[in-house]
């Protein structure tokens, strides 16, 4: 079951990334993140009120999900969307999906997992992939290499969040509740940021961009719920490498559907493949 939900997560994330990229043409990262988290939070809490006993909400372990929501989706997803906006989905998505690297490091520190040669090789490949993705000639649009920092920080946030989610699920194995608390916390954090950044003035929404962003939010909701079910049924080291393969699907959809938005180069494809390969090596090491 863990493998099934992991592949389903990867597919949904890859589709959501393409929808987000289309929406960001006439919008901005903050608007996309607000719509995504707001939609997901509403759906998850409706499911909780319908199917989850209220007594579960009193368990102290739900604090793991609150902390997880602060790191991601709140911080991680927003930084990831900024990365898509600044350097393109084909460059940003593979970098964000190096998050298992950070999950693996945390597993070594807090769970006593071994740091073996395969981890070292995988880490080298991930770093090499990031360098390939962030170097070379600019093919379309103007972007700065320093903007690669956004998806890297997003990856760190997602890695921390994944570890916290798994820790919480070991005590409270209710994926729908875990998703609701995590995403709900993220949405509250984003609203606070929204207030201090100028409120409605920071939003940029048109009918065209709104349709794409709402579609992305619905698909992303399915991806998040699938991810929690995958973590509930399996270990992080089994789930993460399968989910981390979604950039390959993202690049496939980008090449087919986003030719007018951004163009793929051999360097981008190579960088994505190297990054994903390194990530898989790290999180599957035993």
């Amino acid at each position: 079951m863990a493998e099934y939900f992991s592949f389903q997560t990867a597919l949904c994330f890859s589709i959501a990334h393409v929808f987000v990229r289309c929406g960001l043409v006439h919008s901005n990262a903050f608007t996309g993140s607000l719509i995504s988290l707001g939609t997901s939070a509403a759906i998850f809490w409706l499911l909780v009120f319908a199917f989850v006993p209220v007594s579960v909400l009193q368990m102290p372990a739900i604090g793991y999900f609150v902390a997880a929501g602060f790191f991601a989706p709140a911080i991680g997803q927003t930084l990831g969307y900024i990365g898509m906006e600044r350097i393109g989905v084909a460059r940003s998505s593979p970098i964000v999906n190096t998050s298992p690297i950070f999950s693996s490091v945390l597993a070594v520190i807090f769970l006593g997992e071994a740091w073996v040669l395969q981890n070292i090789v995988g880490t080298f490949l991930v770093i090499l992939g990031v360098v390939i993705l962030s170097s070379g000639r600019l093919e379309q649009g103007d972007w700065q290499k320093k903007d690669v920092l956004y998806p890297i920080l997003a990856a760190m946030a997602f890695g921390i969040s994944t570890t916290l989610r798994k820790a919480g699920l070991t005590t409270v194995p209710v994926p729908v509740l875990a998703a609701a608390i995590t995403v709900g916390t993220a949405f509250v954090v984003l609203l606070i940021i929204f207030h201090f950044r100028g409120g409605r003035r920071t939003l940029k929404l048109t009918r065209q961009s709104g349709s794409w962003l709402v579609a992305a939010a619905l698909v992303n909701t399915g991806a998040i719920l699938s991810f929690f079910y995958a973590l509930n049924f399996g270990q992080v080291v089994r789930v993460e490498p399968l989910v981390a393969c979604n950039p390959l699907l993202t690049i496939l959809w980008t090449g087919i559907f986003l030719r007018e938005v951004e163009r793929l180069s051999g360097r981008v494809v190579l960088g994505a493949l190297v990054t994903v390969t390194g990530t898989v090596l790290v999180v599957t090491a035993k």
Side-chain angles (χ1 to χ4, degrees):
M1 291 297 290
E3 288 77 12
Y4 166 78
F5 282 113
S6 297
F7 281 121
Q8 182 170 281
T9 302
L11 177 61
C12 289
F13 273 139
S14 70
I15 295 172
H17 290 160
V18 175
F19 287 171
V20 167
R21 186 65 180 100
C22 291
L24 290 179
V25 173
H26 300 289
S27 185
N28 58 35
F30 195 86
T31 303
S33 190
L34 195 67
I35 290 174
S36 179
L37 291 179
T39 301
S40 296
I43 293 173
F44 289 145
W45 277 107
L46 285 174
L47 292 174
V48 166
F49 291 141
F51 301 107
V52 179
V54 178
S55 59
V56 180
L57 290 170
Q58 300 175 355
M59 300 183 68
I62 65 173
Y64 284 112
F65 304 131
V66 174
F70 175 80
F71 284 103
I75 304 302
Q77 183 167 293
T78 301
L79 290 173
Y81 281 5
I82 294 175
M84 291 182 190
E85 187 179 42
R86 297 288 184 90
I87 68 176
V89 64
R91 293 187 181 94
S92 179
S93 178
I95 297 174
V96 172
N97 280 275
T98 64
S99 60
I101 295 292
F102 301 100
S103 298
S104 182
V105 171
L106 290 173
V108 170
I109 296 174
F110 296 106
L111 303 179
E113 297 184 4
W115 188 255
V116 296
L117 179 61
Q118 184 174 330
N119 292 96
I120 298 173
V121 173
T123 301
F124 171 78
L125 288 177
V126 169
I127 295 173
L128 177 61
V130 171
V131 170
I132 293 173
L133 286 166
S134 60
S135 62
R137 296 176 57 187
L138 305 182
E139 297 203 26
Q140 186 170 340
D142 188 17
W143 66 283
Q144 299 180 6
K145 294 180 180 179
K146 67 179 182 180
D147 290 333
V148 174
L149 182 63
Y150 290 106
I152 291 175
L153 291 176
M156 293 176 62
F158 276 111
I160 295 171
S161 181
T162 297
T163 305
L164 291 169
R165 295 176 193 185
K166 181 59 180 177
L169 284 169
T170 57
T171 305
V172 187
V174 185
V176 173
L177 177 63
I181 295 175
T182 300
V183 176
T185 301
F187 185 59
V188 171
V189 172
L190 194 61
L191 287 178
I192 295 173
I193 297 173
F194 173 71
H195 174 73
F196 285 103
R197 287 193 58 179
R200 294 182 179 181
R201 290 177 297 175
T202 62
L203 297 179
K204 182 181 179 183
L205 187 65
T206 64
R207 179 177 298 180
Q208 183 179 11
S209 64
S211 299
W212 285 112
L213 293 176
V214 169
L218 293 173
V219 177
N220 200 60
T221 299
I224 293 172
L225 187 57
S226 295
F227 185 58
F228 274 98
Y229 270 99
L231 282 177
N232 191 50
F233 285 116
Q235 296 181 338
V236 172
V237 294
R238 291 289 298 167
V239 171
E240 285 276 45
L242 300 179
V243 175
C245 291
N246 79 79
L248 299 178
L249 294 174
T250 301
I251 287 175
L252 175 62
W253 308 144
T254 300
I256 296 174
F257 300 110
L258 296 184
R259 292 180 180 179
E260 300 300 320
V261 178
E262 59 180 87
R263 187 174 58 192
L264 295 178
S265 67
R267 181 181 293 273
V268 171
V269 174
L270 175 61
L273 290 173
V274 172
T275 301
V276 172
T277 299
T279 301
V280 171
L281 283 174
V282 169
V283 298
T284 56
K286 296 181 180 180

